[in-house]
């Protein structure tokens, strides 16, 4: 019974966050909010103490006015929970459920302990955990009613002057069934990590691969629909478009020269800043020689991908710190 009530509360809170984001007036703000949730998910998933998570999550909320607005909307909705459509059992359980979140030295604190509206969404993000935050992102990015908002967000990105020379066909591919990057939980031990990557669902592997670009501060997303360009993910770097092809191959199935050569042609035709081919196997000697003929193509074999998990790449990008 308790688990059912807790799950119901979590679903309600996920809906509040998603609704607050989807009802922001500007598509740029929705993009900012999605990035904020992804960064918050990384904090919640980290091994730091709960109070340090609170501090970092609070700093993320205060980094942009658009995020503050979303946080305030969620805080107001939660404070008015008695007038919500929650079942009575959940209304009764909500305060005690949130108050049971441990913070410092075994003590607990509920909503009132934070002394301000912005403390409420921080508490809620910790309560929801990485799975709950992922559900919020997916509710905004992949739910049918949100498709218009997703298109608006990507329209803002592809209208950027840096993508001026990108073809209309490629821009259309960028809009097709976008999926938010997702940093999936991974084993810490190297052999187990390698095996886990090899066994991932291809779409999950694409989202996981794109999470490294997002973590570096770049706008990034994967696409579920196959396209003529062989592109599985996009990221926008200050120097231009990054296109990504993901090959979740078995260890013995090396990526060959035809795949690399074709993708190199796409990168050059679209004037992409870089084209990454990421695989769970490796590359043939011919493929490596083909990629070496241009600076646009970067080959990421399993060993490179393993290093990304322990030393995340920056892709030459240091995002600016923005004030409210």
């Amino acid at each position: 019974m308790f688990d059912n009530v807790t799950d119901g509360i979590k679903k309600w809170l996920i809906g509040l966050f998603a609704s607050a984001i989807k009802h922001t007036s500007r598509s740029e703000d929705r993009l900012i909010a999605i990035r904020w949730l992804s960064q918050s998910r990384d904090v919640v998933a980290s091994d730091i103490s709960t109070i340090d998570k609170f501090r970092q999550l609070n700093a993320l909320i205060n980094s942009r006015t658009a995020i503050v607005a979303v946080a305030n909307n969620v805080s107001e909705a939660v404070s008015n929970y008695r007038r919500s459509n929650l079942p009575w059992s959940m209304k009764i359980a909500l305060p005690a459920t949130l108050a049971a979140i441990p913070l410092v030295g075994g003590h607990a604190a509920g909503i009132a302990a934070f002394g301000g509206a912005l403390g409420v969404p921080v508490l809620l993000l910790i309560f929801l955990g990485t799975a709950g935050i992922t559900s919020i992102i997916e509710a905004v990015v992949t739910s049918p009613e949100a498709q218009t908002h997703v298109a608006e967000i990507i329209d803002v990105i592809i209208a950027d002057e840096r993508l001026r020379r990108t073809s209309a066909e490629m821009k259309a591919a960028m809009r097709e069934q976008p999926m938010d990057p997702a940093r999936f939980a991974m084993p810490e031990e190297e052999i187990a990590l390698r095996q886990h990557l090899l066994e991932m669902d291809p779409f999950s592997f694409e989202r996981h691969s794109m999470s490294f670009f997002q973590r570096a501060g770049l706008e990034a997303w994967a696409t579920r629909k196959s396209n003529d360009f062989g592109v599985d993910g996009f990221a926008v770097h200050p120097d231009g478009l990054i296109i990504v092809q993901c090959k979740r191959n078995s260890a013995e199935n090396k990526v060959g020269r035809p795949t690399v050569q074709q993708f190199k042609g796409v990168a050059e035709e679209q004037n992409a800043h870089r084209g990454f081919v990421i695989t769970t196997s490796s590359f043939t000697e011919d493929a490596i020689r083909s990629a070496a003929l241009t600076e646009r193509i970067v080959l990421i074999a399993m060993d490179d991908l393993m290093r990304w998990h322990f030393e995340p790449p920056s892709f030459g990008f240091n995002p600016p710190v923005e004030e409210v």
Side-chain angles (χ1 to χ4, degrees):
M1 177 64 179
F2 177 77
D3 287 342
N4 290 337
V5 170
T6 302
D7 289 344
I9 290 173
K10 286 187 175 182
K11 289 179 181 178
W12 178 67
L13 294 172
I14 288 167
L16 292 184
F17 275 98
S19 178
I21 293 170
K22 286 189 284 186
H23 286 88
T24 53
S25 59
R26 300 194 315 157
S27 53
E28 297 96 324
D29 291 343
R30 288 190 285 275
L31 185 60
I32 289 168
I34 291 169
R35 184 199 297 169
W36 159 58
L37 287 173
S38 297
Q39 293 171 331
S40 297
R41 181 173 54 192
D42 287 341
V43 172
V44 172
S46 66
D47 294 329
I48 61 177
S49 67
T50 308
I51 191 62
D52 285 337
K53 289 180 183 180
F54 174 80
R55 289 169 177 155
Q56 291 189 23
L57 291 170
N58 191 61
L60 285 174
I61 285 181
N62 282 287
S63 65
R64 299 293 293 266
T65 53
I67 302 173
V68 170
V70 169
N72 279 328
N73 285 339
V74 172
S75 179
E76 182 179 357
V78 172
S79 66
N80 292 322
Y81 74 94
R82 292 186 181 278
R83 294 198 294 270
S84 73
N85 59 355
L86 273 175
W88 273 111
S89 60
M90 294 181 190
K91 290 181 181 179
I92 294 171
L94 181 63
T97 300
L98 299 183
I101 301 173
L103 286 180
V104 187
H107 297 292
I111 293 174
F114 290 98
L118 295 188
V120 175
V122 169
L123 175 69
L124 300 180
L125 290 174
I126 293 174
F127 170 65
L128 289 172
T130 56
I133 297 173
T134 298
S135 295
I136 300 170
I137 295 172
E138 290 178 343
V140 176
V141 176
T142 63
S143 63
E145 66 270 19
Q147 288 303 311
T148 300
H149 298 312
V150 178
E152 290 175 1
I153 290 169
I154 295 178
D155 281 344
V156 170
I157 296 173
I158 66 178
D160 193 292
E161 176 62 21
R162 291 169 293 180
L163 307 187
R164 178 173 52 86
R165 295 178 59 184
T166 303
S167 71
E169 292 80 10
M170 176 63 85
K171 290 179 178 179
M174 294 168 75
R175 292 186 178 96
E176 286 290 341
Q177 298 185 24
M179 299 185 295
D180 191 69
R183 185 65 179 270
F184 292 94
M186 292 285 154
E188 295 184 3
E189 198 274 324
E190 181 176 342
I191 295 177
L193 174 56
R194 287 176 181 268
Q195 189 61 35
H196 190 84
L197 290 169
L198 286 167
E199 294 174 352
M200 289 187 78
D201 170 84
F203 287 129
S204 296
F205 178 67
E206 291 168 11
R207 297 177 69 191
H208 184 70
S209 297
M210 295 311 300
S211 73
F212 292 99
F213 296 88
Q214 184 184 62
R215 183 172 180 176
L218 302 175
E219 306 297 353
W221 66 98
T223 177
R224 180 176 290 274
K225 186 172 182 178
S226 300
N227 54 71
D228 294 338
F229 300 99
V231 178
D232 299 312
F234 302 91
V236 181
H237 188 277
D239 294 328
L241 177 66
I242 291 176
I243 57 177
V244 181
Q245 186 175 95
C246 299
K247 296 291 186 181
R248 204 227 1 98
N249 292 356
S250 59
E252 66 276 6
N253 185 13
K254 294 185 177 183
V255 178
R257 180 175 179 273
T259 297
V260 171
Q261 191 170 30
Q262 181 181 19
F263 201 61
K264 181 169 63 174
V266 172
E268 291 173 349
E269 289 174 4
Q270 301 299 322
N271 195 37
H273 170 58
R274 290 287 186 273
F276 284 76
V277 182
I278 302 174
T279 184
T280 49
S281 61
S282 57
F283 298 88
T284 64
E285 291 297 326
D286 285 346
I288 294 172
R289 282 193 290 269
S290 178
L293 297 176
T294 176
E295 293 183 351
R296 292 186 192 271
I297 296 299
V298 182
L299 303 183
I300 303 297
M302 175 64 100
D303 288 343
D304 304 304
L305 186 55
M306 292 292 292
R307 282 190 287 272
W308 277 16
H309 284 81
F310 300 109
E311 298 178 12
S314 66
F315 305 104
F317 176 58
N318 295 308
V321 177
E322 300 192 43
E323 302 294 337
V324 175

